[in-house]
Amino acid sequence: MGKNACLICGKEKFSVKAKRLRDSRNHSVLKCKNCGHIQIYPIPTLAEEQFFYDNNKQEKNLGIDFNLTQIRKKSMADTNRRTLFVTKLARKSGKILEIGSGYGLFFESMEKLGYNITGIEISKQRRKISRRITNAKILDINIVKDTLNFPKLDMIILFHVLEHIIEPVTFLKKLKKLLKSNGKIIVEVPNYDDHQLDSNKSYRNFYWQRAHIHYFTPKILRMVLHKAGFTVNIKGIQRYSIENFMNWKLTGKPQLENPTFSLPDEYRWIDSFYKNKIEKLLKSDTIIAIGYKNKN
């Protein structure tokens, strides 16, 4: 694959979606004219990626001050939603691997429920913090380049990880080998078909960031998982509430200090209607795929 090629189909003809990112003037965003995939340019090297994550550059570049209490508060809605989602699909006796386990909040939740879960986190800073939160095993392994030696797994989980991986198909094929014959992979990513990207220029300008190498649509995410040998079911997840949508319309700015995931109880029905509608259309801010390992 050429240096300037699409990381999904390998073709080399692009249109420009954005000339800069919100946290980098040295990168642009390109759309493949062949398959429609969207990716940043230039693609970072593995060494650049290791430095980026070891030093927690994603949050530092975006001006996010780390505070464990604040991180826990902001992550609560996602942690609860993900725990509910996974526990409906996983057996307590099964072996689960989470890749990109971050600060360990999902681990903490699953541990309390008695699940057998191991994690991988390449960020030195995040591993250190997560060990204050959870007793679960969190490994320092770079799956892209390291040799893997795991017992066969029942489930692999990637919450907002695949968009950071340079070669997603190769990466997923490697993970497929770790799964049992009836194993599953859970992949959650931001959704480029997010309805706000078409309707709000301020939101669109804010959207692009250095950490995200890929911007997946449901179509491209399905294609990537199929190429890796998975049968796929995709559903929409709207993480942010209608209040967040209105805030963007009125102010053109995000609610970074207090992101809104839901409304007070008396207005919850409005929020539920909004979220259900765009989730069904796969126009939500997030999509989640369940990949079932093909036996061929």
Side-chain angles (χ1 to χ4, degrees):
M1 190 177 291
K3 187 177 179 180
N4 300 330
C6 173
L7 293 169
I8 305 302
C9 73
K11 301 298 182 182
E12 299 185 3
K13 291 187 177 181
F14 297 92
S15 59
V16 177
K17 295 293 293 182
K19 293 182 178 179
R20 56 164 294 182
L21 315 179
R22 64 168 143 146
D23 58 338
S24 175
R25 294 180 178 272
N26 299 320
H27 295 81
S28 55
V29 183
L30 305 179
K31 181 176 182 179
C32 175
K33 290 187 175 182
N34 179 60
C35 72
H37 182 57
I38 296 167
Q39 63 189 53
I40 67 166
Y41 175 84
I43 301 300
T45 65
L46 288 178
E48 288 170 340
E49 288 290 85
Q50 189 68 58
F51 177 83
F52 187 87
Y53 290 106
D54 268 350
N55 292 277
N56 215 10
K57 286 285 188 179
Q58 181 176 8
E59 290 186 352
K60 290 176 182 176
N61 282 3
L62 301 178
I64 300 171
D65 293 326
F66 175 78
N67 177 295
L68 186 53
T69 301
Q70 187 72 2
I71 291 289
R72 187 184 289 278
K73 178 183 175 184
K74 288 166 69 172
S75 301
M76 187 180 297
D78 279 335
T79 299
N80 292 342
R81 171 181 59 80
R82 289 166 178 168
T83 301
L84 180 63
F85 186 85
V86 171
T87 52
K88 287 180 179 179
L89 296 169
R91 294 177 294 111
K92 285 190 178 180
S93 59
K95 291 183 173 63
I96 303 171
L97 175 68
E98 185 190 11
I99 299 171
S101 53
Y103 297 111
L105 298 174
F106 174 72
F107 262 80
E108 180 186 43
S109 178
M110 293 294 285
E111 238 184 347
K112 287 178 180 177
L113 294 174
Y115 281 83
N116 179 7
I117 185 165
T118 300
I120 292 175
E121 176 54 57
I122 66 168
S123 168
K124 190 187 305 179
Q125 185 174 359
R126 292 190 180 200
R127 282 196 310 274
K128 183 178 178 180
I129 293 164
S130 65
R131 284 171 183 146
R132 291 160 44 193
I133 293 173
T134 174
N135 293 319
K137 186 184 292 183
I138 298 178
L139 306 173
D140 177 13
I141 296 174
N142 188 324
I143 286 186
V144 174
K145 61 184 181 66
D146 293 343
T147 301
L148 304 179
N149 185 21
F150 285 97
K152 288 292 185 179
L153 300 163
D154 294 275
M155 181 179 288
I156 297 175
I157 298 170
L158 306 168
F159 289 135
H160 290 252
V161 170
L162 196 64
E163 66 271 24
H164 301 258
I165 303 301
I166 296 172
E167 295 185 3
V169 176
T170 302
F171 182 76
L172 290 169
K173 284 180 177 178
K174 198 169 185 180
L175 297 184
K176 184 187 173 189
K177 294 177 181 177
L178 301 177
L179 287 168
K180 294 178 180 178
S181 59
N182 61 344
K184 303 180 189 71
I185 190 166
I186 308 297
V187 180
E188 181 179 306
V189 295
N191 180 20
Y192 183 71
D193 279 351
D194 181 349
H195 72 112
Q196 281 218 75
L197 285 167
D198 290 331
S199 63
N200 193 315
K201 183 179 178 181
S202 297
Y203 181 81
R204 189 164 58 249
N205 290 339
F206 178 82
Y207 193 71
W208 316 111
Q209 58 172 289
R210 157 62 184 84
H212 292 177
I213 294 169
H214 305 275
Y215 292 88
F216 292 107
T217 63
K219 176 184 175 182
I220 298 296
L221 181 60
R222 188 181 300 277
M223 181 194 303
V224 166
L225 282 157
H226 278 169
K227 282 176 176 279
F230 291 95
T231 300
V232 188
N233 180 30
I234 294 180
K235 63 176 291 187
I237 300 289
Q238 181 60 29
R239 297 168 69 210
Y240 292 94
S241 70
I242 195 168
E243 180 186 341
N244 181 271
F245 171 73
M246 295 304 296
N247 181 76
W248 270 107
K249 284 290 187 185
L250 293 170
T251 70
K253 296 178 182 179
Q255 296 168 290
L256 290 177
E257 294 304 315
N258 188 27
T260 310
F261 294 106
S262 62
L263 297 181
D265 287 346
E266 60 267 34
Y267 302 114
R268 193 69 57 84
W269 68 271
I270 301 172
D271 202 37
S272 295
F273 178 84
Y274 164 74
K275 288 182 175 180
N276 289 338
K277 182 71 172 178
I278 56 179
E279 285 175 353
K280 286 178 182 177
L281 295 171
L282 294 182
K283 293 289 185 181
S284 48
D285 54 50
T286 302
I287 46 177
I288 191 165
I290 307 171
Y292 301 89
K293 183 176 178 178
N294 291 338
K295 295 181 181 180
N296 57 343

